[in-house]
Amino acid sequence: MIKIAPSILAADLLNLQKEVSEVDRAGADYIHIDVMDGNYVPNITFGPDIVKKLRTITNKILDVHLMINPVSKFIEDFVNSGADIISFHPETEKNVNKTIQKIKDLNCKCGLAIHPDVRITDIKQYLNLVDLVIVMTVVPGFGGQKFQIEQIDKISELKKIKSIKNLNFEIEVDGGINNDTAKLCIDKGADILVAGTYIFNKPCEEYKNLIHSLK
Ligand code: DX5
Ligand code: ZN
């Protein structure tokens, strides 16, 4: 069964506690938290303190997507705040192996996020080390962008490597997910779908149906 990870980037931030509780109740599997630093991406969002606060109001998996450069000096802060999975973009770190190991040594799950310009061959060497791979179907930085359909072959490519090498990572798709694009990703073999605008731009009474419509 496909899992849904609402992205709080599109939530009503003045009512973040309510928004997260509502998607939790509506059947979200993960809560996706987009961390942006104004350096790796041209936008600034949340830090470890937000993760810490969210940890007190939900038991759902806190799926932290770091769009920051550098990554390594902030890992402990996010783990201590209660992140369950920390993903980063490999081009932001000189020593990707070391950063993966650092996350895992702190008993946290680790993911790699793939920018649309990064190819699977560029990250293939790390796939046996990670728990999650995020296929980005928009350029990281903003919600509400158009789904880049040409990225979805990366999902099947990953799926193939996974079965040939008998690996365990999950495949998450992030960016421009709605009920049409969700179907394309599921057909290719996605395990988790991130959805920001599609869910949070509607009234909270609809969250349950919206989440259901992505499955
Ligand atoms: C973009 C973020 C996404 C974003 C998705 O940099 O990584 O997680 O929140 O938003 P939508 O679903 O609106 O494309
Ligand atoms: Zn994201």
Side-chain angles (χ1 to χ4, degrees):
M1 189 63 163
I2 190 91
K3 294 180 219 168
I4 306 299
S7 164
I8 61 162
L9 187 62
D12 173 7
L13 297 180
L14 283 179
N15 292 297
L16 190 57
Q17 175 172 10
K18 181 171 185 288
E19 291 278 68
V20 170
S21 303
E22 292 285 358
V23 285
D24 180 328
R25 213 158 51 102
D29 298 284
Y30 294 7
I31 305 296
H32 187 85
I33 304 163
D34 288 306
V35 177
M36 305 186 188
D37 69 347
N39 179 36
Y40 175 65
V41 288
N43 194 6
I44 300 177
T45 56
F46 317 112
D49 287 347
I50 292 278
V51 177
K52 202 176 196 168
K53 292 290 184 192
L54 295 180
R55 184 74 291 165
T56 66
I57 61 160
T58 181
N59 290 320
K60 297 289 164 82
I61 290 172
L62 296 181
D63 171 28
V64 175
H65 176 190
L66 297 181
M67 285 161 273
I68 65 175
N69 184 0
V71 168
S72 42
K73 65 175 175 184
F74 292 104
I75 289 170
E76 273 167 348
D77 288 345
F78 281 103
V79 174
N80 292 338
S81 297
D84 294 295
I85 308 173
I86 296 178
S87 301
F88 67 99
H89 287 260
E91 66 273 29
T92 61
E93 280 291 315
K94 269 200 208 82
N95 194 333
V96 174
N97 279 300
K98 205 171 153 191
T99 306
I100 293 172
Q101 202 50 52
K102 189 168 177 177
I103 296 171
K104 289 170 61 169
D105 285 347
L106 293 165
N107 285 323
C108 187
K109 289 191 171 178
C110 178
L112 286 181
I114 318 177
H115 187 288
D117 292 342
V118 173
R119 297 163 305 175
I120 300 297
T121 48
D122 301 329
I123 58 130
K124 211 171 166 182
Q125 57 189 301
Y126 309 116
L127 291 175
N128 61 325
L129 304 172
V130 296
D131 305 289
L132 179 74
V133 178
I134 305 181
V135 174
M136 299 269 338
T137 40
V138 297
V139 174
F142 298 92
Q145 301 179 72
K146 187 173 175 283
F147 184 80
Q148 296 189 9
I149 194 163
E150 65 279 9
Q151 296 296 325
I152 64 172
D153 289 336
K154 287 180 181 171
I155 305 168
S156 27
E157 213 178 316
L158 286 166
K159 187 97 181 159
K160 199 168 151 198
I161 297 172
K162 215 178 134 169
S163 87
I164 291 171
K165 296 197 170 174
N166 202 15
L167 300 176
N168 287 321
F169 62 85
E170 293 193 292
I171 304 169
E172 179 173 280
V173 185
D174 186 7
I177 294 293
N178 57 39
N179 53 344
D180 294 325
T181 58
K183 196 177 176 316
L184 301 173
C185 299
I186 294 168
D187 287 348
K188 292 281 181 182
D191 302 300
I192 307 157
L193 301 175
V194 175
T197 312
Y198 180 71
I199 294 172
F200 286 111
N201 267 20
K202 295 273 167 52
C204 60
E205 295 74 31
E206 291 181 38
Y207 291 171
K208 193 172 177 187
N209 285 339
L210 289 164
I211 289 172
H212 187 75
S213 72
L214 295 175
K215 302 196 174 196

